[in-house]
Every structure is written in C-alpha cells, then in structure tokens.
Amino acid sequence: MPNSSSTPNNNDKPQLPVISQSELQDLMKKHGQPAFRAKQVIDWRNKGVLNPDAMKNIPGELRHILNAELICEPLRLVRRECSVDGTRKYVFALNRPRFSGKMVESVLIPEQSRGTVCISSQVGCVLDCPFCHTGTQGFEANLTAGEIVAQVLMIKADLHNEPLAGDLHNEVTHIVYMGMGEPLANETGLHDSLIALLSDDGLKLSRRRITVSTSGLVPQINRLGEAFNVNLAISLHSAIDSLRDTLVPINKKHPLKQLRDCLNRYSLGKQRHITLEYVLLKETNDREEDIRALIDFVNPERERVNLIQFNPYPGSPYDGSSKEHMSKFAQQLISKGIRATVRRSRGQDIMAACGQLKAETSKE
C-alpha cells in the first residue's frame, strides 16, 4: 500500500461519495435522527447530489449535521468543455485544505448504447511516460476514494441537469480508470473507490463495466485481481524491453517477462480479456521489429490489442503514425490470430483524448 506523504490522512472526516448506508445509520443514531434518513441521503448521493442543501426531503437539522460531520463535496467543478463529438471534459478542483486549488480532469465519452466516464486517480502522475501530456505535470497528490468517486457522481448530476443532445446515452454505464495518474500507485484510493462503485448501496456497477488501466505495477496487479477482478488494461506501447524502458519507465522495475507472467495469472471471467494499449508513434514503435515483438508477446486467447492514435500536445517530441500505417499494423496482428482494433479518438478539439489530460493547476 502507498505510504507517500501525499496519501490522504485516514483521520479526515468521512466523505459522502463513499460512505456506506450502515455508517450513515450510525450517524443518524448518534444525532437522534430516524434510520430511514440514511437511505434518503444515499439515494440523493447516488443521483449525484452531494450538497445536503439540495436534498429536498431532508430536514434542515439533518442538512446541518451532514455538513458538520462529513466532507460532502470533496471536489468543486471549475469548468466543463464540450467537444463537437459530444465528449465532455470536466476540470475539478480539490477542496482539501492542503491541496486546495489543485485540479484534475475527467472525461465523459458518450455513445448511443453506453456512457463511459474516464476518471483520474492522482493529481498529475507519479510515472514519467514521455509521450503522455499528464506525465509532464509531475506528481502532486493521490486522490482520496471520495475524490475519485465524486468525479463519477458529479458527471451523473451534470447529465441529469443538461442531457446530451441527439441519440447519445445520458447515463453513466461504464467507468475506466484511464485519466490522470497511475491508479495502482494510489492503491488505497483505488481499492476504496472500487468498493464504493461496486457495493449494493453505492452505484452497484458490475465488475465487467469497470476497467483499471496500469503501466504495469506487477505486485499491485496481482492484488487487484485477487481483491476485485475488474477488467484490466495495460499501457504496453512496446514489447521490446529497451524501448519500453524509455516509453514506460516503470518497465525498468517490472520488465516484460515479469509482466507477462503476471498477466498469465490474472483471473479472467468468461468472455473477458485483458486489453493491451499501444499508442503508435511514428518511426519509434511502429516498425517491423516492433510488430514482431508484439506478436511474440501477446497471448491471443487472453488478450486483445487496442491501437491508439497519438494525440499531440504542445511541446511533444513525438509524431503519430499515419492512419494508413495504423490500419496495416492492425491487419498484421489480425493475420496472426490476434484481436486488434484501432481506437477512435474522441474529444481532441478540447484536449480530452487519450494522453492529453493535464490540469493547469495555476489557472482556475
């Protein structure tokens, strides 16, 4: 478990986004409130309403108690940006005194049949992958479980208040830990947030609808599989150790052989697979030797490859592979019996696409 000085203090007040119904019932009993009030508060919370003053059927005395005893709104919405393709990017500021004003970004990716929320687990990132915009921010703080789950709840509330136009889905159906930060480097926040998202008095999401993306922290992957068995995505980007040492520096600590053994052990349910994410960088990891190494690394029975268009950001030292080259790369994998897809980039016009998130913490 992380023991960084940026890990939240366990003595903080309970946070409304992740508090259980039984804990709320104890709070009701402590203050002489009827037990059914706990269920009312949970119902509001699960709709995305975190401000007790907006809970219409809650008496004023209880609103005061909630505000005094809990951290009800661990995040504050700074701004929302909307893409021409329907994608929404949210910039949230932390309300913790020590990190007040620090910001994270989350993205809503709507489709006709589903609504996926991409959430952050850290302010910045503890890793330093050179092709990722978030990595240029450095690491500033681990998010609490309440701050992680609050991203989902506040986006749910936004969809209720301002539904998407057309035939796009207006509910949050899937969660991906693919925003700012390395989720497994904030293991406490990750695990506690998963408990809240999966629990019966929380959002009751299926494990099949939650994906955790990691750069390859092997011991933490093992513990994630044992505790939660959610979907797993690996930021692979190269199957050659010497190149991956540069693109994904954690590879120096957990090289590809360790990662391969770990993925072979990760428990998979029926019709489930591990996703290997691979951003294609022109003349860097898109050569013939790269595809041969990738073909040798992939276990086709357990994994699929998701090829990702490189999304540029100011000052980036890399260029992306052309769409034609990406298609050829995919076809070579498919010809070897490997499931491969090219991810359609969303939200590029608002810097909300994969690898583009970076909160300008000095600009509110």
Side-chain angles (χ1 to χ4, degrees):
M1 295 293 180
N3 53 18
S4 162
S5 61
S6 292
T7 300
N9 189 331
N10 290 331
N11 293 322
D12 287 345
K13 294 179 182 178
Q15 298 192 2
L16 179 58
V18 292
I19 197 169
S20 69
Q21 187 167 326
S22 63
E23 289 172 315
L24 268 177
Q25 287 172 341
D26 290 341
L27 184 63
M28 299 302 111
K29 183 177 180 181
K30 173 184 173 183
H31 290 277
Q33 295 285 326
F36 74 86
R37 293 293 186 195
K39 178 64 164 55
Q40 289 180 319
V41 173
I42 289 291
D43 287 344
W44 282 111
R45 188 271 308 276
N46 290 347
K47 293 176 184 176
V49 177
L50 298 177
N51 183 350
D53 294 335
M55 299 178 182
K56 298 177 182 179
N57 59 348
I58 300 297
E61 180 185 0
L62 180 52
R63 294 177 189 177
H64 176 76
I65 291 169
L66 294 174
N67 279 317
E69 295 276 358
L70 306 177
I71 298 173
C72 295
E73 297 178 283
L75 298 178
R76 173 171 52 85
L77 179 62
V78 175
R79 66 179 179 273
R80 185 193 75 182
E81 301 175 33
C82 300
S83 168
V84 293
D85 63 21
T87 300
R88 292 181 179 179
K89 182 171 77 171
Y90 300 81
V91 181
F92 296 109
L94 278 60
N95 282 333
R96 263 189 284 165
R98 184 180 171 191
F99 300 104
S100 179
K102 298 292 184 183
M103 289 186 262
V104 294
E105 297 183 349
S106 312
V107 179
L108 168 69
I109 308 166
E111 300 175 62
Q112 290 183 1
S113 59
R114 61 197 284 171
T116 301
V117 172
C118 176
I119 55 177
S120 295
S121 55
Q122 297 179 318
V123 180
C125 186
V126 70
L127 303 181
D128 189 24
C129 301
F131 59 89
C132 177
H133 198 202
T134 308
T136 66
Q137 181 175 333
F139 171 71
E140 299 189 62
N142 283 327
L143 296 186
T144 65
E147 289 162 346
I148 293 172
V149 176
Q151 297 169 60
V152 181
L153 295 173
M154 294 173 75
I155 291 173
K156 279 175 65 75
D158 182 62
L159 281 171
H160 176 77
N161 294 331
E162 293 191 45
L164 293 158
D167 55 1
L168 294 174
H169 207 281
N170 270 293
E171 296 291 336
V172 175
T173 62
H174 292 71
I175 307 294
V176 293
Y177 287 76
M178 294 185 185
M180 297 169 59
E182 164 56 63
L184 293 182
N186 179 12
E187 196 171 15
T188 299
L190 170 65
H191 284 207
D192 289 349
S193 65
L194 285 171
I195 290 170
L197 293 172
L198 293 166
S199 68
D200 287 340
D201 56 8
L203 295 184
K204 293 192 289 188
L205 287 171
S206 163
R207 285 169 170 77
R208 301 176 68 91
R209 295 191 171 201
I210 299 177
T211 300
V212 174
S213 176
T214 174
S215 295
L217 282 68
V218 168
Q220 290 91 326
I221 293 172
N222 291 332
R223 291 193 288 268
L224 178 71
E226 292 168 1
F228 297 101
N229 191 223
V230 292
N231 293 323
L232 181 67
I234 302 295
S235 295
L236 187 66
H237 310 307
S238 177
I240 299 172
D241 270 316
S242 58
L243 178 56
R244 195 167 190 265
D245 286 348
T246 298
L247 296 179
V248 188
I250 196 65
N251 192 72
K252 297 173 185 176
K253 185 174 182 179
H254 302 296
L256 288 165
K257 186 181 185 308
Q258 283 188 26
L259 181 61
R260 179 66 272 162
D261 292 343
C262 170
L263 298 185
N264 288 342
R265 292 192 302 270
Y266 195 85
S267 178
L268 291 176
K270 291 182 179 180
Q271 297 182 328
R272 291 172 66 189
H273 52 260
I274 296 168
T275 300
L276 303 179
E277 300 167 318
Y278 199 105
V279 172
L280 278 166
L281 304 169
K282 183 178 180 181
E283 298 176 359
T284 300
N285 66 351
D286 65 350
R287 304 158 299 174
E288 283 299 319
E289 62 193 274
D290 297 302
I291 196 162
R292 287 196 300 270
L294 183 57
I295 289 168
D296 289 341
F297 180 84
V298 176
N299 180 344
E301 294 182 0
R302 293 173 53 83
E303 295 150 11
R304 72 175 183 186
V305 177
N306 194 351
L307 300 175
I308 304 169
Q309 179 183 353
F310 175 66
N311 296 302
Y313 61 86
S316 168
Y318 295 101
D319 291 320
S321 304
S322 67
K323 290 182 179 179
E324 293 77 15
H325 191 74
M326 291 183 71
S327 179
K328 291 179 181 178
F329 200 98
Q331 288 303 317
Q332 285 181 272
L333 294 172
I334 293 168
S335 71
K336 297 297 183 180
I338 296 171
R339 290 170 290 182
T341 56
V342 177
R343 181 187 297 177
R344 184 164 66 95
S345 189
R346 301 283 298 274
Q348 281 184 306
D349 55 322
I350 56 172
M351 290 289 286
C354 180
Q356 289 187 316
L357 300 187
K358 179 183 177 181
E360 298 295 342
T361 57
S362 62
K363 299 177 182 177
E364 288 207 30

